[in-house]
Amino acid sequence: MICIQLNHVSLTLGAHPIFRDLNWEIQHDQKVGLIGPNGAGKSSLLKLITGEHAPEPGGAIVLSRGLRLGYLPQQPELPPNQTAWEAGLAGDTRWAEAESALKRLEAQLALPEVYGDDKRLTRALEEQQRLIEVYQSLGGDQYPARVRQMLLGLGLD
């Protein structure tokens, strides 16, 4: 199954053509590395795939449904007072948003006007179930452990 497909993609930044009429696809089970000298267009290609750059008219980029992309710039601009742990946890804002929404909803479930009203309680419990599914799909309670392992793998305590 094709996850990423580029069809006749051209990219020009300023007056400098980066690539012309590029055709490329990545299958779901492939691992791809980009190797080349500085200025060859590796980062530009990744920015094109993630939508930070737009292809010239006539080219198309097709991503498979449900595909999640992430891109870490070569020179990330992080707040100087932020730790690697905090930056890692903030890497997927959807996880933090889902966790926060679940906590807010749990607080609402404790309110007498919610648990005392069958309709409101039913709606709140249905929303809680939906949020739990989203939270679990983003790593759930295991997300911090995955971030920790990633940081340790990069040599960061």
Side-chain angles (χ1 to χ4, degrees):
M1 180 173 108
I2 298 172
C3 286
I4 301 172
Q5 186 173 30
L6 288 78
N7 296 312
H8 305 287
V9 172
S10 297
L11 179 66
T12 302
L13 298 176
H16 182 66
I18 306 298
F19 36 79
R20 290 190 182 118
D21 202 31
L22 175 66
N23 293 294
W24 187 39
E25 65 184 34
I26 301 174
Q27 301 289 328
H28 81 284
D29 57 350
Q30 285 183 310
K31 292 183 179 25
V32 177
L34 297 176
I35 301 170
N38 289 342
K42 302 177 301 291
S43 296
S44 296
L45 177 60
L46 293 174
K47 289 177 183 179
L48 186 72
I49 292 170
T50 61
E52 190 173 328
H53 290 323
E56 300 293 320
I61 300 171
V62 180
L63 305 177
S64 68
R65 186 178 185 143
L67 180 68
R68 292 187 329 197
L69 296 174
Y71 172 74
L72 180 63
Q74 294 177 39
Q75 303 292 325
E77 294 182 23
L78 301 173
N81 59 344
Q82 186 178 48
T83 65
W85 172 248
E86 292 165 339
L89 282 178
D92 190 342
T93 57
R94 298 169 303 162
W95 178 83
E97 290 165 0
E99 182 186 47
S100 178
L102 271 171
K103 287 180 181 176
R104 282 192 308 273
L105 188 59
E106 288 170 3
Q108 288 179 5
L109 286 169
L111 299 174
E113 58 268 20
V114 174
Y115 69 76
D117 181 334
D118 287 342
K119 284 185 180 182
R120 286 182 74 179
L121 180 60
T122 299
R123 282 194 310 267
L125 290 172
E126 287 170 354
E127 177 64 5
Q128 182 185 39
Q129 182 59 39
R130 187 190 71 75
L131 285 172
I132 287 171
E133 290 172 9
V134 169
Y135 180 71
Q136 293 300 338
S137 75
L138 296 170
D141 293 336
Q142 298 305 311
Y143 181 75
R146 285 182 26 229
V147 169
R148 180 169 166 56
Q149 285 303 114
M150 178 196 64
L151 292 172
L152 289 172
L154 293 171
L156 301 171
D157 296 337

